[in-house]
C-alpha cells in the first residue's frame, strides 16, 4: 500500500490528536492543513460532547465533528448540531433501574445538546462549575432523550464495571469506554464512532477503503474495524489500549510525539 492515499482523514482527539496538555502541535495543524488544501476532509471522531469542542474549534474550525461516540454530528464552523441519535426515555429508565439494582453504588449523568446533568453524588472530573452543567435527580434525567448516558462507579475496577454494564444492557444500547476510571459510555443501539463516521463519509462520497482513522481507546474499535474491513487504514497510537492495537492495521508514535502528523507525512 505504498502508494495509497486517503480521501478522508478521521481522528480521535484525547490521547490521539491532542497532546497531554490538551493542545494540538503546530506541526499537526500544518500537516492537517496541507491535506485539507488538497481537498481531503478532516473529521474529528470523539467521545467528547459538543460543549467540549470550543477550544479545538479555535485550532481546526472547519468540517464536521462526530461527537458523543457517534451520537451527534456537529458543524465546527457554525457550531450547529447537524443531527443526533439519542437514547430514548424508555431505554434510559429500564437500563438505569436494572444497573442500580445490580450495583447500587452506580451513579449516572447524561449529555444532550450543549447540556450536562448529573446526580448530586456523581463526581464530574472535568465539569465542575462549567456552563451548561447542573445537578438533577435520576428521575429528571430520564424524562427526555439524551445523546449519551454515563454510568460511573468509584470503587470497582474499570474493566469489571464496564463488563457488568454490558451484561446488564445487552442489546438495548451500545456500551463503550475511553477512560481510565470505571466509567461506561452508553449510546443508542448501533450508534458508534463508525456509524457517525460512515454518515459523514457518505456525504463526501467516500468509502471506508479511502479513509485513514487514528485512535487510542476501545471507543475507537468500531471505527477501526469498519475502516480496516473496508480496506482503509486504522492507525493506533503507540500507547493505545491493547484491544485497539489488536484491530489496527498500523501503529504510529504517541500523541506527544505528533504520531498523527508523522503517519500522514509518511503517506
Amino acid at each position: 500500500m505504498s502508494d495509497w492515499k486517503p480521501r478522508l482523514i478521521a481522528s480521535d482527539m484525547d490521547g490521539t490528536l491532542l497532546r497531554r496538555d490538551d493542545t494540538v502541535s503546530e506541526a499537526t495543524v500544518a500537516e492537517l492543513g496541507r491535506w485539507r488544501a488538497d481537498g481531503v476532509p478532516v473529521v474529528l471522531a470523539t467521545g467528547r460532547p459538543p460543549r467540549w469542542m470550543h477550544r479545538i474549534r479555535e485550532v481546526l474550525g472547519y468540517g464536521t465533528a462526530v461527537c458523543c461516540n457517534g451520537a451527534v454530528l456537529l458543524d465546527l464552523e457554525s457550531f450547529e448540531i447537524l443531527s443526533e441519535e439519542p437514547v430514548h426515555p424508555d431505554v434510559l429508565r429500564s437500563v438505569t433501574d436494572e444497573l442500580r439494582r445490580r450495583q447500587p453504588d452506580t451513579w449516572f449523568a447524561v449529555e444532550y445538546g450543549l447540556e450536562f446533568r448529573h446526580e448530586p453524588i456523581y463526581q464530574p472530573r472535568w465539569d465542575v462549575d462549567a456552563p451548561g452543567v447542573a445537578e438533577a435527580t435520576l428521575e429528571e434525567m430520564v424524562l427526555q432523550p439524551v445523546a449519551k448516558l454515563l454510568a460511573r462507579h468509584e470503587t470497582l475496577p474499570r474493566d469489571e464495571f464496564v463488563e457488568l454494564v454490558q451484561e446488564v444492557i445487552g442489546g438495548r444500547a451500545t456500551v463503550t469506554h475511553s477512560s481510565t476510571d470505571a466509567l461506561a459510555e452508553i449510546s443508542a443501539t448501533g450508534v458508534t464512532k463508525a456509524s457517525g463516521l460512515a454518515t459523514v463519509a457518505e456525504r463526501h462520497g467516500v468509502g471506508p477503503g479511502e479513509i485513514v482513522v487514528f485512535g487510542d481507546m476501545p471507543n475507537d474499535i468500531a471505527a477501526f474495524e469498519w475502516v480496516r474491513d473496508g480496506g482503509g487504514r486504522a492507525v493506533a497510537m503507540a500507547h493505545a489500549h491493547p484491544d485497539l492495537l489488536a484491530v489496527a492495521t498500523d501503529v504510529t508514535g504517541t500523541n506527544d510525539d505528533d504520531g498523527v502528523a508523522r503517519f500522514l507525512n509518511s503517506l
Side-chain angles (χ1 to χ4, degrees):
M1 297 181 71
S2 60
D3 59 347
W4 184 88
K5 293 187 184 301
R7 291 186 57 215
L8 186 147
I9 296 166
S11 179
D12 172 51
M13 288 177 57
D14 297 281
T16 302
L17 197 69
L18 301 181
R19 297 179 291 191
R20 277 179 291 183
D21 63 1
D22 204 38
T23 64
V24 184
S25 73
E26 291 183 5
T28 297
V29 172
E31 184 66 22
L32 293 177
R34 182 174 71 86
W35 284 89
R36 184 169 180 259
D38 282 342
V40 179
V42 177
V43 178
L44 300 177
T46 177
R48 289 188 177 206
R51 60 197 172 82
W52 282 5
M53 302 298 287
H54 287 284
R55 290 182 63 187
I56 193 70
R57 182 180 178 227
E58 296 173 2
V59 180
L60 301 172
Y62 51 79
T64 303
V66 177
C67 299
C68 289
N69 292 324
V72 179
L73 298 185
L74 175 72
D75 185 293
L76 282 175
E77 188 170 356
S78 65
F79 215 75
E80 294 180 358
I81 292 176
L82 302 174
S83 66
E84 194 168 72
E85 297 286 343
V87 186
H88 291 284
D90 57 339
V91 176
L92 293 172
R93 285 190 291 268
S94 65
V95 163
T96 54
D97 285 350
E98 191 169 344
L99 280 172
R100 184 63 55 83
R101 283 198 302 271
R102 289 283 299 273
Q103 190 55 250
D105 291 332
T106 301
W107 311 113
F108 298 101
V110 294
E111 297 277 5
Y112 61 93
L114 299 175
E115 303 292 316
F116 180 71
R117 298 290 181 268
H118 64 91
E119 291 186 279
I121 198 168
Y122 182 101
Q123 298 179 25
R125 300 300 197 260
W126 306 281
D127 289 307
V128 181
D129 298 326
V133 175
E135 293 183 356
T137 66
L138 181 57
E139 291 74 19
E140 291 169 332
M141 289 191 294
V142 300
L143 288 175
Q144 62 180 313
V146 303
K148 184 163 65 170
L149 170 68
L150 299 169
R152 182 186 291 283
H153 201 286
E154 295 294 343
T155 58
L156 285 179
R158 178 192 64 184
D159 292 346
E160 178 183 337
F161 179 64
V162 172
E163 185 177 341
L164 169 68
V165 174
Q166 290 172 327
E167 176 189 333
V168 167
I169 289 179
R172 288 177 290 177
T174 300
V175 181
T176 189
H177 63 101
S178 58
S179 172
T180 56
D181 302 326
L183 177 67
E185 303 169 48
I186 302 160
S187 304
T189 302
V191 172
T192 64
K193 286 189 181 183
S195 65
L197 184 56
T199 298
V200 177
E202 184 178 9
R203 293 177 181 180
H204 287 285
V206 175
E210 302 168 301
I211 296 173
V212 58
V213 59
F214 297 89
D216 73 315
M217 290 296 280
N219 65 332
D220 296 307
I221 289 175
F224 267 45
E225 291 178 334
W226 178 66
V227 168
R228 178 203 64 189
D229 294 348
R233 307 287 284 272
V235 186
M237 311 307 287
H239 58 276
H241 190 285
D243 290 349
L244 189 70
L245 288 167
V247 299
T249 62
D250 301 88
V251 178
T252 187
T254 68
N255 54 329
D256 283 335
D257 292 331
D258 294 336
V260 170
R262 289 187 179 191
F263 187 86
L264 289 174
N265 185 262
S266 74
L267 299 178

